[in-house]
Amino acid sequence: MKKIKLALLIILSVIILAGCGKSAKEEFFDYTKKNVTENSSNDISMTIKDIKLTADMKDSPEANVMVTQLKDIKVTGSMQHDVSEKATNTKLNIEALGQKIPLEFISKNDDMYFSLDIFRGISKIASQFNSELPSDEKTLSAFDGKYLKLSDADTLEIDSKSATNLTKEFQKEVSNYFTSLDEERFTKENDVVTFKLTKKDVVVLAEKFNTLSKTKKEYKEFVIPDFDEMIKNLPKALDVKFNLNTKTNDLAVALTSTFDKKDEGFIDSIEVLYNYKPNDKQVAIKLPAKKEIVNVKEIEAILAPYLSDELDEELDEELDEELDEELDEELDEELDEELDEELDGDFNMADDEFKELVKELEKEDFSSFSAAESDELLEEYEPLLTEKQYKTIEKIFKNK
């Protein structure tokens, strides 16, 4: 949770930096100042532009399927800021695993509300993996149109007033840091100002945040106890490129993360694109009514039948008493066979995901593969594909 707090505070503070003047550097900060001091409404989007696999994983069917699914994730929405009311409204639509999930945050002063309409989409995705999350209409409808008040102490377990004060002080630290950067790091071509952040900048800002958190007793809860370990676990390289069109106020942000081979992951690098485009959809920001707000205890009561560890333990004890070891082994074998059959059916790739996979495979050169190697790859792909999809993949390997 504290890592999330750190990330949110750093991102927020970078966005609201202030400046004046007309150099490339100052034009960039004029934009950020305008977004804080004036009412604004922007269309926003996020897509994964590219994912590169490690050399030892680029021929793995499972890894390529996962990459295809990740590339299909899209986020679109809008962000509105009302300066006079000190309110913001962020509405997003997340497309993932064939589902569209709505996400909404509303804030005013120190209060923040989170829409629980997201639960339907999450439940549908969870059901694909045989999760115990509820999917019946009665339970799902209990979340429709409801909001969780995130600023309540029993929700985030933080002092919202202290968080606000710390954020304001940290913004000054961030502003001073960016003011000290060389003008050469800000370039302008035609109407576009370009500015780049590196991993070094991120680490410096993180260090400033953690140091500031230690200066006052009221900030103590925000100190990152495992700070050095967290910095050590950052990607090998982090590059954030901002492209600001000073004529249209469109902002494009490209975040590229490159990972170390010793991390033993299957992804070598990933590039994510964010876009912010002004619109004319400014409307009054409406806070949830009292009857629309629920607390954590109410949510726990709704989900209790599905998330109770006690029920799981009782079931395990009953099975142990009723079944001897021989019967357990036979049952396990039957369950494994059933699970394999279910997996073959449940996890066949969607047509759009399959098309993306075909495009990726057609770019590869399999001419050096022996017949045995091709058969081995086909065998790995077979459980993930329908019969028709399998024949298509087979032709790709044979033709290469």
Side-chain angles (χ1 to χ4, degrees), residues 316 318-336:
D316 288 340
E318 290 174 6
L319 288 174
D320 289 339
E321 292 172 358
E322 294 174 4
L323 301 173
D324 57 25
E325 290 183 2
E326 181 178 351
L327 184 57
D328 280 343
E329 291 178 0
E330 294 177 359
L331 182 60
D332 286 343
E333 290 178 1
E334 292 176 4
L335 289 174
D336 286 341

Side-chain angles (χ1 to χ4, degrees), residues 257-286:
S257 302
T258 304
F259 302 94
D260 200 315
K261 293 181 180 179
K262 65 182 181 182
D263 291 338
E264 298 182 354
F266 68 93
I267 295 178
D268 179 69
S269 66
I270 181 169
E271 183 179 1
V272 183
L273 301 182
Y274 303 86
N275 287 284
Y276 304 82
K277 184 180 181 65
N279 62 44
D280 56 358
K281 303 175 184 177
Q282 190 80 27
V283 295
I285 297 174
K286 182 181 178 182

Side-chain angles (χ1 to χ4, degrees), residues 25 90 120 164 187 205-206 221 226 243 257 265 283 337 349 399:
K25 173 181 175 180
T90 302
R120 279 184 178 272
T164 300
T187 60
L205 292 173
E221 62 181 315
D226 56 347
N243 283 326
S257 302
V283 295
E337 291 176 0
M349 296 181 66
N399 291 338

Side-chain angles (χ1 to χ4, degrees), residues 210-227:
N210 212 41
T211 299
L212 183 60
S213 299
K214 297 176 182 179
T215 59
K216 294 182 181 180
K217 186 177 180 180
E218 64 177 294
Y219 299 159
K220 185 178 180 180
E221 62 181 315
F222 297 96
V223 175
I224 311 299
D226 56 347
F227 181 79

